[in-house]
Amino acid sequence: MRNVNWLGLAFLSPALVMVTLFFLLPVVLTGFFAFTNMSTATGVTGGEYLLNSASLRRLQNEGLPQEVLAKLEAGGYRVDAAGLAALAEATTPATAQELEQLHGAAEFSDRRDMERALKDLLDNRIRRTRDRKEAAELFKRSILNERFATEAAFRAALSETGTRTAYAEQITTAAYTGWVWTTKNVELLFALPSTLRYAANTTLYVTLTLAFNVGFGLFLAITTFYLPKGQGAAFRAIWFLPRILPPVLYVLMWRWFTWDTGFLATVTGYFGISPKNWMLDTSYHAWTVVVLINGFVGASMGMIIFSSAIRAIPTSMLHASEVDGASRWQQVRWIILPQLAWPILFITCYQTLSLLTSFEYILLATDGGPGRATEVWSLAAYHTALNNYGGNLEYGLGAAFALVLVVIGIAASLIYFRLFNFKRLITKPLIEG
Amino acid sequence: MQLDLINFTKRFGDTTVIEDMSLSVSSGEMIALLGPSGCGKSTTLFAICGIHRIDQGQLMFGGKDVAHLPSQSRNVGVVFQNYALYPHMTVAENIAFPLKVQKMNRTDREAMVRRYAELVHIEALLERRPAQLSGGQQQRVALARALVRQPDFLLLDEPLANLDAKLRLEMRSEIRRLQQETGLTAILVTHDQVEAMSMCDRIALMNGGRIVQYDTPTSMYERPENDFVASFLGNPPISFVSGAGLGQSEARVARYGIRPEGFGPQFGSALSGRVTFVETQGREDLFDVSLTNGEVLRSIQPAGSGIRPGATVQWGVAQDKLLRFDQDGRRL
């Protein structure tokens, strides 16, 4: 018995690995990224410690006292062992020795002073200005613009600048360039006005496309049902084409079709309408095209499901309704449509979920434009995290966008599972006693 | 209303299913289209109600040609073999459907539904759905739905085929009662000769797309046109024997047909044979008797004779019930 169980698991394991790798892991990672500030700047691995003018500005905003800032900024030059060793390497050991004798452990706040000290060496004076500048650099001991691989190294350098330990923590945090845990993404999501815009766009997109999908799918299924068999099949095959066409090609056709030198512009040109890009001209145009592009693809799915559901209705029932005096329209309205209730509900649920997360056709067609008119939630997530115009890809914020979709998706799925409680549909027949 | 089907031909693609068939049904009469499966009886019914197009010929409803009218405008009520009830509607909605598509108002509709539900005795089931009904109850709903629009004709396509034996008996008399109460002209399609004989005024026996004989059950049983009719009607079926087996010969007679009730000890003892099979049916026993030349005669006798398989018997045939057939199977 145990062996049988293990065998079953073994057979299942490829599927389990797939599900874990391609379905579960992305969801878990999305939840994880959503609560970090990961971006191109921070990277996804650990970071370094670096103080630059930007981090100083940030510290100033956080209220760090001016004199601490000045100290961090000041930096200066110090004749220390490390610098002397480097100098001995660059010039001669004698030069280094003399400098140590004259200015050992001296500190200069200005580069000019450091250069003067090098110039004023008695025996080994460095004559060329360029050489002196280079030699002076060797003694530069500022914490600014210097990268430290570890926190310990940064703290050591920080204490060398003479910063009081009371501020060390704050400065170290500000200097860290890696990612940190944060809830800022979620707060930002609720604070940004553009979020509301994306939500509204998504609602509009899902509602319109869904209505088109289901309505047009039904229309196709019913009309082709009444056609002779061969013709109906041919029509359905034609309407199925967009689905088996590669999305890039399919959208490219639409772009050519609506281009300012494309089919639509050329045809309307004959009627005296000046050529324009019919897709991106106004947001109304963009929405129309987006809904049509998605709708024609989605309708084929509904058409197939509805067609087979209509075929599953016993022909005698359709005959009966005709004999009962029902016209075509009455037959559709009272016999066919009521029996399509479940397929319609199923398609509605399924399409809602897939439309919520699908953005490839919008990306290829309008890329959210014109402006941000057709930017839907999932596209915004993609743009934020993976394809940002500014170049700083905000993985964390993008993941927060995606996380909202995950939550909505799970909630919707749970509701649908309850809706599709097929057990309730089955009623026990009463056997003749 | 009188129904006349004149020179009716039906083809599916290249195959001619029914050729040049004529049938007339008098007003208030109930007839059966009887025949083996594939003989075209259902096709004929579907042509009458307009589901199948009529390729050639005329269909007269009360003297008016309706062959080119769609089924919606023919005003016939049909009961289908699987009842074809609408599963998403309640019983009341099912019955009301023909009235609803006629846009009859709600109160009139409800009154009609009640009236016909009472007629078929299902007034207690009006709020149920078809899935919650037994086969017999579904049958009654289908009948009410066919009757509620007050059709000119009632067409029944194998209405009893899906019922168990007990229910079939009950519905047989029930359908006949409804037909007589409403005075409707009705056509029953069946492959069961008992159904056809017990329910109908006349039977049109069909074979291979043609009507072989169209007559009352009694005369068809007693005076079959040919051996096909003779063998199709009657249960247990008729047996055919040669003149040699029977020990008599007449001119042009190729073989004789003897029904089981025409062979037994009460008709003399001219024939000797061996009982090869006995089937007990309760009130009666059915015997297979093998004659000396190997041909088999069937006999039905009151139970309690005590004759066992293997016994030798000396029985005779009733000469007045003997059916004579010629070389082509035609009765002489």
Side-chain angles (χ1 to χ4, degrees), chain A residues 232 267 361 370 378:
Chain A
V267 170
Y361 290 108
S378 49

Side-chain angles (χ1 to χ4, degrees), chain B residues 271-290:
Chain B
L271 291 173
S272 119
R274 203 165 54 81
V275 176
T276 53
F277 181 75
V278 180
E279 188 182 306
T280 311
Q281 290 186 341
R283 189 166 31 132
E284 284 139 350
D285 289 339
L286 181 65
F287 299 95
D288 280 7
V289 178
S290 186

Side-chain angles (χ1 to χ4, degrees), chain B residues 78-154:
Chain B
V78 183
V79 175
F80 291 86
Q81 181 172 356
N82 59 4
Y83 319 132
L85 299 178
Y86 311 126
H88 54 286
M89 300 182 190
T90 63
V91 167
E93 286 166 340
N94 262 286
I95 300 174
F97 185 73
L99 306 176
K100 191 173 180 177
V101 298
Q102 289 172 7
K103 310 231 158 43
M104 180 187 271
N105 72 53
R106 179 180 280 272
T107 41
D108 289 354
R109 218 159 64 200
E110 280 171 1
M112 289 290 276
V113 168
R114 191 145 295 283
R115 211 177 106 203
Y116 280 90
E118 277 165 18
L119 185 69
V120 299
H121 307 309
I122 50 165
E123 55 271 36
L125 309 173
L126 286 177
E127 293 317 309
R128 292 215 199 153
R129 284 180 195 279
Q132 298 168 307
L133 300 178
S134 69
Q137 291 165 336
Q138 290 187 20
Q139 170 78 272
R140 287 168 190 270
V141 177
L143 273 167
R145 189 180 65 184
L147 293 172
V148 75
R149 60 190 305 213
Q150 296 170 304
D152 295 331
F153 301 102
L154 178 63

Side-chain angles (χ1 to χ4, degrees), chain A residues 316-317 319-327 330 334-335 338-339 427 429-430 432, chain B residues 51 72 76 78 80 82 84-88 97-98 100-101 128 132 134 145 149:
Chain A
S316 66
M317 208 180 289
H319 288 157
S321 67
E322 278 165 27
V323 172
D324 281 343
S327 64
Q330 285 171 326
W334 300 111
I335 309 297
Q339 301 199 60
T427 44
L430 299 178
E432 191 91 357
Chain B
I51 292 169
Q72 283 90 343
V76 290
V78 183
F80 291 86
N82 59 4
L85 299 178
Y86 311 126
H88 54 286
F97 185 73
K100 191 173 180 177
V101 298
R128 292 215 199 153
Q132 298 168 307
S134 69
R145 189 180 65 184
R149 60 190 305 213

Side-chain angles (χ1 to χ4, degrees), chain A residues 31-50:
Chain A
F32 164 70
F33 286 146
F35 293 97
T36 69
N37 67 346
M38 280 185 195
S39 68
T40 313
T42 66
V44 291
T45 52
E48 296 168 319
Y49 293 83
L50 172 70

